[in-house]
mmCIF file with all atom_site columns, all heavy atoms in Angstrom:
data_model
loop_
_atom_site.group_PDB
_atom_site.id
_atom_site.type_symbol
_atom_site.label_atom_id
_atom_site.label_alt_id
_atom_site.label_comp_id
_atom_site.label_asym_id
_atom_site.label_entity_id
_atom_site.label_seq_id
_atom_site.pdbx_PDB_ins_code
_atom_site.Cartn_x
_atom_site.Cartn_y
_atom_site.Cartn_z
_atom_site.occupancy
_atom_site.B_iso_or_equiv
_atom_site.pdbx_formal_charge
_atom_site.auth_seq_id
_atom_site.auth_comp_id
_atom_site.auth_asym_id
_atom_site.auth_atom_id
_atom_site.pdbx_PDB_model_num
ATOM 1  N N   . GLY V 1 171 ? -3.628 -20.531 -42.154 1.00 0.00 ? 350 GLY V N   1
ATOM 2  C CA  . GLY V 1 171 ? -2.742 -21.283 -41.272 1.00 0.00 ? 350 GLY V CA  1
ATOM 3  C C   . GLY V 1 171 ? -1.674 -22.021 -42.046 1.00 0.00 ? 350 GLY V C   1
ATOM 4  O O   . GLY V 1 171 ? -1.399 -21.646 -43.179 1.00 0.00 ? 350 GLY V O   1
ATOM 5  N N   . PRO V 1 172 ? -1.066 -23.024 -41.470 1.00 0.00 ? 351 PRO V N   1
ATOM 6  C CA  . PRO V 1 172 ? -1.386 -23.616 -40.165 1.00 0.00 ? 351 PRO V CA  1
ATOM 7  C C   . PRO V 1 172 ? -1.051 -22.713 -38.971 1.00 0.00 ? 351 PRO V C   1
ATOM 8  O O   . PRO V 1 172 ? -0.217 -21.827 -39.084 1.00 0.00 ? 351 PRO V O   1
ATOM 9  C CB  . PRO V 1 172 ? -0.518 -24.880 -40.149 1.00 0.00 ? 351 PRO V CB  1
ATOM 10 C CG  . PRO V 1 172 ? 0.606  -24.605 -41.086 1.00 0.00 ? 351 PRO V CG  1
ATOM 11 C CD  . PRO V 1 172 ? 0.042  -23.715 -42.143 1.00 0.00 ? 351 PRO V CD  1
ATOM 12 N N   . TYR V 1 173 ? -1.743 -22.988 -37.874 1.00 0.00 ? 352 TYR V N   1
ATOM 13 C CA  . TYR V 1 173 ? -1.549 -22.250 -36.631 1.00 0.00 ? 352 TYR V CA  1
ATOM 14 C C   . TYR V 1 173 ? -1.179 -23.207 -35.495 1.00 0.00 ? 352 TYR V C   1
ATOM 15 O O   . TYR V 1 173 ? -1.662 -24.336 -35.466 1.00 0.00 ? 352 TYR V O   1
ATOM 16 C CB  . TYR V 1 173 ? -2.832 -21.517 -36.241 1.00 0.00 ? 352 TYR V CB  1
ATOM 17 C CG  . TYR V 1 173 ? -3.319 -20.539 -37.291 1.00 0.00 ? 352 TYR V CG  1
ATOM 18 C CD1 . TYR V 1 173 ? -4.507 -20.773 -37.978 1.00 0.00 ? 352 TYR V CD1 1
ATOM 19 C CD2 . TYR V 1 173 ? -2.591 -19.393 -37.585 1.00 0.00 ? 352 TYR V CD2 1
ATOM 20 C CE1 . TYR V 1 173 ? -4.961 -19.871 -38.940 1.00 0.00 ? 352 TYR V CE1 1
ATOM 21 C CE2 . TYR V 1 173 ? -3.034 -18.490 -38.546 1.00 0.00 ? 352 TYR V CE2 1
ATOM 22 C CZ  . TYR V 1 173 ? -4.220 -18.736 -39.222 1.00 0.00 ? 352 TYR V CZ  1
ATOM 23 O OH  . TYR V 1 173 ? -4.653 -17.841 -40.164 1.00 0.00 ? 352 TYR V OH  1
ATOM 24 N N   . LEU V 1 174 ? -0.391 -22.724 -34.571 1.00 0.00 ? 353 LEU V N   1
ATOM 25 C CA  . LEU V 1 174 ? -0.016 -23.543 -33.413 1.00 0.00 ? 353 LEU V CA  1
ATOM 26 C C   . LEU V 1 174 ? -1.161 -23.699 -32.422 1.00 0.00 ? 353 LEU V C   1
ATOM 27 O O   . LEU V 1 174 ? -1.323 -24.752 -31.811 1.00 0.00 ? 353 LEU V O   1
ATOM 28 C CB  . LEU V 1 174 ? 1.196  -22.928 -32.689 1.00 0.00 ? 353 LEU V CB  1
ATOM 29 C CG  . LEU V 1 174 ? 2.544  -23.080 -33.398 1.00 0.00 ? 353 LEU V CG  1
ATOM 30 C CD1 . LEU V 1 174 ? 3.562  -22.095 -32.817 1.00 0.00 ? 353 LEU V CD1 1
ATOM 31 C CD2 . LEU V 1 174 ? 3.065  -24.509 -33.275 1.00 0.00 ? 353 LEU V CD2 1
ATOM 32 N N   . VAL V 1 175 ? -1.929 -22.625 -32.217 1.00 0.00 ? 354 VAL V N   1
ATOM 33 C CA  . VAL V 1 175 ? -2.985 -22.625 -31.198 1.00 0.00 ? 354 VAL V CA  1
ATOM 34 C C   . VAL V 1 175 ? -4.299 -22.197 -31.840 1.00 0.00 ? 354 VAL V C   1
ATOM 35 O O   . VAL V 1 175 ? -4.402 -21.077 -32.363 1.00 0.00 ? 354 VAL V O   1
ATOM 36 C CB  . VAL V 1 175 ? -2.652 -21.654 -30.043 1.00 0.00 ? 354 VAL V CB  1
ATOM 37 C CG1 . VAL V 1 175 ? -3.678 -21.802 -28.913 1.00 0.00 ? 354 VAL V CG1 1
ATOM 38 C CG2 . VAL V 1 175 ? -1.238 -21.906 -29.506 1.00 0.00 ? 354 VAL V CG2 1
ATOM 39 N N   . GLY V 1 176 ? -5.290 -23.069 -31.791 1.00 0.00 ? 355 GLY V N   1
ATOM 40 C CA  . GLY V 1 176 ? -6.600 -22.734 -32.325 1.00 0.00 ? 355 GLY V CA  1
ATOM 41 C C   . GLY V 1 176 ? -6.543 -22.396 -33.808 1.00 0.00 ? 355 GLY V C   1
ATOM 42 O O   . GLY V 1 176 ? -5.621 -22.811 -34.516 1.00 0.00 ? 355 GLY V O   1
ATOM 43 N N   . GLY V 1 177 ? -7.544 -21.642 -34.278 1.00 0.00 ? 356 GLY V N   1
ATOM 44 C CA  . GLY V 1 177 ? -7.660 -21.344 -35.699 1.00 0.00 ? 356 GLY V CA  1
ATOM 45 C C   . GLY V 1 177 ? -7.309 -19.907 -36.034 1.00 0.00 ? 356 GLY V C   1
ATOM 46 O O   . GLY V 1 177 ? -7.901 -19.313 -36.939 1.00 0.00 ? 356 GLY V O   1
ATOM 47 N N   . ARG V 1 178 ? -6.358 -19.320 -35.301 1.00 0.00 ? 357 ARG V N   1
ATOM 48 C CA  . ARG V 1 178 ? -6.006 -17.920 -35.528 1.00 0.00 ? 357 ARG V CA  1
ATOM 49 C C   . ARG V 1 178 ? -4.527 -17.687 -35.253 1.00 0.00 ? 357 ARG V C   1
ATOM 50 O O   . ARG V 1 178 ? -3.884 -18.457 -34.550 1.00 0.00 ? 357 ARG V O   1
ATOM 51 C CB  . ARG V 1 178 ? -6.827 -17.025 -34.608 1.00 0.00 ? 357 ARG V CB  1
ATOM 52 C CG  . ARG V 1 178 ? -6.627 -17.360 -33.150 1.00 0.00 ? 357 ARG V CG  1
ATOM 53 C CD  . ARG V 1 178 ? -7.527 -16.549 -32.244 1.00 0.00 ? 357 ARG V CD  1
ATOM 54 N NE  . ARG V 1 178 ? -7.043 -15.183 -32.155 1.00 0.00 ? 357 ARG V NE  1
ATOM 55 C CZ  . ARG V 1 178 ? -7.674 -14.212 -31.505 1.00 0.00 ? 357 ARG V CZ  1
ATOM 56 N NH1 . ARG V 1 178 ? -8.839 -14.466 -30.926 1.00 0.00 ? 357 ARG V NH1 1
ATOM 57 N NH2 . ARG V 1 178 ? -7.171 -13.004 -31.444 1.00 0.00 ? 357 ARG V NH2 1
ATOM 58 N N   . LEU V 1 179 ? -4.029 -16.598 -35.794 1.00 0.00 ? 358 LEU V N   1
ATOM 59 C CA  . LEU V 1 179 ? -2.608 -16.258 -35.612 1.00 0.00 ? 358 LEU V CA  1
ATOM 60 C C   . LEU V 1 179 ? -2.322 -15.884 -34.159 1.00 0.00 ? 358 LEU V C   1
ATOM 61 O O   . LEU V 1 179 ? -3.075 -15.118 -33.555 1.00 0.00 ? 358 LEU V O   1
ATOM 62 C CB  . LEU V 1 179 ? -2.253 -15.072 -36.521 1.00 0.00 ? 358 LEU V CB  1
ATOM 63 C CG  . LEU V 1 179 ? -0.786 -14.651 -36.527 1.00 0.00 ? 358 LEU V CG  1
ATOM 64 C CD1 . LEU V 1 179 ? 0.050  -15.633 -37.333 1.00 0.00 ? 358 LEU V CD1 1
ATOM 65 C CD2 . LEU V 1 179 ? -0.620 -13.238 -37.102 1.00 0.00 ? 358 LEU V CD2 1
ATOM 66 N N   . SER V 1 180 ? -1.240 -16.417 -33.611 1.00 0.00 ? 359 SER V N   1
ATOM 67 C CA  . SER V 1 180 ? -0.794 -16.003 -32.277 1.00 0.00 ? 359 SER V CA  1
ATOM 68 C C   . SER V 1 180 ? 0.666  -15.559 -32.352 1.00 0.00 ? 359 SER V C   1
ATOM 69 O O   . SER V 1 180 ? 1.368  -15.821 -33.338 1.00 0.00 ? 359 SER V O   1
ATOM 70 C CB  . SER V 1 180 ? -0.920 -17.155 -31.273 1.00 0.00 ? 359 SER V CB  1
ATOM 71 O OG  . SER V 1 180 ? 0.083  -18.134 -31.512 1.00 0.00 ? 359 SER V OG  1
ATOM 72 N N   . TYR V 1 181 ? 1.095  -14.906 -31.286 1.00 0.00 ? 360 TYR V N   1
ATOM 73 C CA  . TYR V 1 181 ? 2.505  -14.471 -31.270 1.00 0.00 ? 360 TYR V CA  1
ATOM 74 C C   . TYR V 1 181 ? 3.460  -15.664 -31.347 1.00 0.00 ? 360 TYR V C   1
ATOM 75 O O   . TYR V 1 181 ? 4.582  -15.523 -31.829 1.00 0.00 ? 360 TYR V O   1
ATOM 76 C CB  . TYR V 1 181 ? 2.791  -13.569 -30.063 1.00 0.00 ? 360 TYR V CB  1
ATOM 77 C CG  . TYR V 1 181 ? 2.573  -14.167 -28.697 1.00 0.00 ? 360 TYR V CG  1
ATOM 78 C CD1 . TYR V 1 181 ? 3.496  -15.032 -28.124 1.00 0.00 ? 360 TYR V CD1 1
ATOM 79 C CD2 . TYR V 1 181 ? 1.452  -13.833 -27.933 1.00 0.00 ? 360 TYR V CD2 1
ATOM 80 C CE1 . TYR V 1 181 ? 3.308  -15.566 -26.861 1.00 0.00 ? 360 TYR V CE1 1
ATOM 81 C CE2 . TYR V 1 181 ? 1.246  -14.364 -26.669 1.00 0.00 ? 360 TYR V CE2 1
ATOM 82 C CZ  . TYR V 1 181 ? 2.173  -15.228 -26.131 1.00 0.00 ? 360 TYR V CZ  1
ATOM 83 O OH  . TYR V 1 181 ? 1.989  -15.757 -24.880 1.00 0.00 ? 360 TYR V OH  1
ATOM 84 N N   . ALA V 1 182 ? 3.023  -16.847 -30.902 1.00 0.00 ? 361 ALA V N   1
ATOM 85 C CA  . ALA V 1 182 ? 3.901  -18.025 -30.999 1.00 0.00 ? 361 ALA V CA  1
ATOM 86 C C   . ALA V 1 182 ? 4.134  -18.417 -32.460 1.00 0.00 ? 361 ALA V C   1
ATOM 87 O O   . ALA V 1 182 ? 5.228  -18.870 -32.816 1.00 0.00 ? 361 ALA V O   1
ATOM 88 C CB  . ALA V 1 182 ? 3.301  -19.196 -30.210 1.00 0.00 ? 361 ALA V CB  1
#
Side-chain angles (χ1 to χ4, degrees):
Chain V
Y352 301 113
L353 286 163
V354 187
R357 58 185 286 175
L358 184 75
S359 73
Y360 61 78

